[in-house]
Amino acid sequence: MCRRKYLCAFRRLDVKMISPYFTESAAGVESSDTMGKINTGGIRGLRSRVLKSEDAAVGVKAEMHERSVTDAQTPAEPVSNSNATTTKGKANNDQAPLRSPRKPRRGHVKVEYEEEGVGPKRERWEPCDWRTQLSFIREMRSKRDAPVDQMGAETCYDAEAPPEVRRYQVLISLMLSSQTKDHVTAGAMQRLRERDLSVNAILNMDDDTLGKLVYPVGFWRTKVKYIKKATDLIKREFGDDIPNTVEGLMRLPGVGPKMAHLAMDIAWNQVSGIGVDTHVHRISNRLGWTKKETKMPEQTRRVLEEWLPRDLWSEINWLLVGFGQQVCLPVGPLCSMCLNQYTCPSAHRSSPKKMKAGSPKSPNRLTSPTPRVKEEPSDVPAYCSPSQRRRKPTPKDVSEKELHTKSACTEERGTEGKTEAPGDDREGGPSLPRERHRGKRRTKASLPHNA
């Protein structure tokens, strides 16, 4: 009887409650296998399941409250109650703004590097009309008749000597050419070649003999010391041959960047940089081939290598050196003969200034037919000083003039009028120079009388 009562009670609960927990429990009660388990703890199991369902309902209610709060903070869109699926999708989408909004990330900047990988790629600067200017310089240098073409470092070595000796002679000619004219350097190299210009010959030669051979190149005493030290270093560390790198050449005493780059080009036939001397430095600044005026040749070299194409580095030295020797001179450049006079920013600025007509140095000096002679005023004595001539004549000056006229007349007649001068001087009081002069005369005239 008791079992049947329990079954009837559970069946009524199953009809009244729609929860899945109760349906499962009712199905379990009907089975005969689980009858004993339900009988022992059925009420407690039902209570725990009811509590769990209440907790789930509370969680759902809290979640709906949070959604309502977030919807109040953000502008809500009108939602129709007819379509339930649309409401569900929007509810899922509204869960995303619960997180704190992040700031948009900055766009990545792409950095491109040059081939060498030194720094960021920049737009290369180039001077205006440099190609036109260079073509005009080539045209003016087409004859190759400048001193550097005939007596430069490329012509001073012995073409029949061994390769290492030729390279050594090129280096010596470059060391001697600093601050020296090309014809002086060529003469010194000719004398050295007559004495077998080689590493061993220079080391066996004393300083006095070497100095006599290279004289009169500029700073010949200092260059003799540098040549001896550089030759000794070549003998000890480089095997009787000059170094084949710019760094090795600059280790030699007396060799700078210009000589190193020229030696690499002429001796080793390798273009490592631009050899910038005083001509290249001056002309580059005059043509505006530098962003701003440079003070040293090394600064000019760096600026030129930034924009000038590498295939022109070997040509630019001899072009500008010969151009500077013939046309673009250091003092008084011949701008009127230059083809770049209309594109050069320094044209006619350093040219000799034209003399004004009538100036003493002008060849077209205007000469008047009758020479102008400055006449002295008749009332000013001729023997007065310039300060006395500027002031107005006084009666005292008139009496001095009469006295001077009387003394001149007495000297012409051969009379001894000098003895009268002291009395007249006391009365008239002549000027200081005249008084000294008369005092000397009086002393000479009075010597026989006192004797």
Side-chain angles (χ1 to χ4, degrees):
M1 291 294 293
C2 293
R3 290 181 181 177
R4 289 178 181 177
K5 288 180 180 180
Y6 279 118
L7 286 174
C8 292
F10 278 115
R11 284 175 183 175
R12 291 175 183 175
L13 289 172
D14 189 16
V15 174
K16 291 181 180 180
M17 296 184 181
I18 311 173
S19 175
Y21 300 103
F22 293 99
T23 56
E24 291 177 1
S25 62
V29 172
E30 289 180 353
S31 61
S32 59
D33 297 330
T34 58
M35 202 63 177
K37 296 180 182 179
I38 295 174
N39 201 11
T40 56
I43 300 297
R44 293 180 181 177
L46 288 174
R47 184 185 245 178
S48 62
R49 290 175 183 176
V50 169
L51 291 175
K52 287 181 180 180
S53 63
E54 289 178 358
D55 294 339
V58 172
V60 172
K61 189 179 287 186
E63 186 177 354
M64 294 299 293
H65 179 68
E66 289 180 0
R67 289 180 186 176
S68 62
V69 172
T70 53
D71 292 338
Q73 291 179 355
T74 57
E77 296 181 358
V79 181
S80 60
N81 296 329
S82 60
N83 196 354
T85 57
T86 309
T87 309
K88 252 186 204 181
K90 287 192 176 183
N92 294 333
N93 294 335
D94 290 342
Q95 294 178 0
L98 292 176
R99 299 180 181 180
S100 60
R102 295 181 180 179
K103 295 182 179 179
R105 294 182 179 179
R106 295 181 179 177
H108 294 284
V109 179
K110 187 177 180 181
V111 180
E112 297 181 357
Y113 294 93
E114 294 180 353
E115 296 179 359
E116 299 178 357
V118 178
K121 189 175 182 180
R122 300 176 182 175
E123 187 178 354
R124 190 176 66 175
W125 175 86
E126 289 184 359
C128 299
D129 301 328
W130 71 271
R131 296 184 184 275
T132 305
Q133 294 170 348
L134 186 61
S135 63
F136 284 151
I137 293 174
R138 285 198 187 103
E139 184 177 351
M140 289 182 283
R141 292 277 289 114
S142 58
K143 295 182 180 180
R144 290 178 176 262
D145 53 354
V148 68
D149 300 321
Q150 302 171 2
M151 295 171 286
E154 296 179 348
T155 61
C156 288
Y157 61 86
D158 188 4
E160 298 179 357
E164 62 274 7
V165 176
R166 290 201 302 266
R167 290 190 285 265
Y168 177 73
Q169 292 179 359
V170 168
L171 179 63
I172 296 300
S173 66
L174 290 172
M175 295 177 69
L176 294 176
S177 65
S178 177
Q179 304 291 328
T180 308
K181 300 289 185 180
D182 288 332
H183 67 277
V184 178
T185 304
M189 286 296 298
Q190 181 66 28
R191 293 188 293 271
L192 288 173
R193 285 168 54 189
E194 292 174 358
R195 298 289 297 268
D196 186 19
L197 180 56
S198 62
V199 174
N200 295 327
I202 293 298
L203 290 177
N204 296 330
M205 191 181 300
D206 58 330
D207 294 353
D208 294 337
T209 305
L210 183 59
K212 292 178 182 178
L213 293 175
V214 302
Y215 181 83
V217 298
F219 306 99
W220 62 273
R221 291 186 178 87
T222 305
K223 290 179 181 179
V224 166
K225 297 178 182 178
Y226 286 157
I227 289 173
K228 296 285 285 187
K229 292 180 180 179
T231 306
D232 181 63
L233 190 61
I234 291 172
K235 178 73 174 178
R236 287 187 291 103
E237 297 189 12
F238 299 99
D240 294 350
D241 199 355
I242 66 173
N244 59 353
T245 60
V246 176
E247 293 77 11
L249 288 168
M250 291 184 64
R251 285 181 55 193
L252 303 176
V255 178
K258 180 201 78 171
M259 298 180 192
H261 292 303
L262 291 177
M264 289 295 297
D265 186 15
I266 300 172
W268 293 104
N269 197 21
Q270 297 179 11
V271 179
S272 58
I274 303 175
V276 178
D277 62 349
T278 178
H279 296 287
V280 180
H281 170 66
R282 180 183 69 255
I283 296 171
S284 299
N285 281 275
R286 285 182 178 177
L287 291 175
W289 286 6
T290 56
K291 292 182 182 179
K292 58 182 180 180
E293 185 179 0
T294 55
K295 301 297 182 182
M296 301 298 293
E298 186 62 17
Q299 298 176 359
T300 305
R301 181 186 69 83
R302 294 172 184 171
V303 174
L304 291 177
E305 290 180 356
E306 287 180 359
W307 63 267
L308 190 67
R310 194 179 182 87
D311 56 347
L312 300 176
W313 288 7
S314 177
E315 180 188 15
I316 199 66
N317 178 266
W318 71 268
L319 273 178
L320 296 186
V321 170
F323 179 64
Q325 291 176 344
Q326 292 181 315
V327 181
C328 195
L329 305 175
V331 180
L334 308 177
C335 296
S336 58
M337 299 173 57
C338 181
L339 300 178
N340 290 321
Q341 59 178 312
Y342 301 108
T343 59
C344 177
S346 304
H348 303 288
R349 292 184 182 180
S350 303
S351 301
K353 296 181 179 179
K354 296 181 180 180
M355 300 296 177
K356 293 182 179 180
S359 61
K361 297 183 180 180
S362 176
N364 301 327
R365 183 183 175 184
L366 298 177
T367 55
S368 57
T370 56
R372 297 180 181 180
V373 180
K374 186 178 180 180
E375 298 179 356
E376 296 291 340
S378 58
D379 53 352
V380 179
Y383 58 86
C384 294
S385 61
S387 60
Q388 290 178 339
R389 292 178 185 179
R390 285 194 295 269
R391 63 185 178 84
K392 295 181 179 181
T394 59
K396 182 179 179 180
D397 297 332
V398 176
S399 61
E400 290 176 0
K401 182 179 179 182
E402 294 175 356
L403 179 61
H404 177 68
T405 306
K406 289 181 181 180
S407 61
C409 294
T410 53
E411 288 177 0
E412 292 178 0
R413 292 174 184 175
T415 59
E416 296 180 359
K418 298 179 182 179
T419 56
E420 300 177 357
D424 297 336
D425 288 344
R426 294 188 187 95
E427 293 177 1
S431 61
L432 183 61
R434 188 63 181 174
E435 184 179 4
R436 289 179 180 176
H437 181 63
R438 288 195 176 189
K440 291 180 181 179
R441 284 185 178 180
R442 187 169 57 252
T443 304
K444 292 180 182 179
S446 60
L447 282 176
H449 179 70
N450 295 334

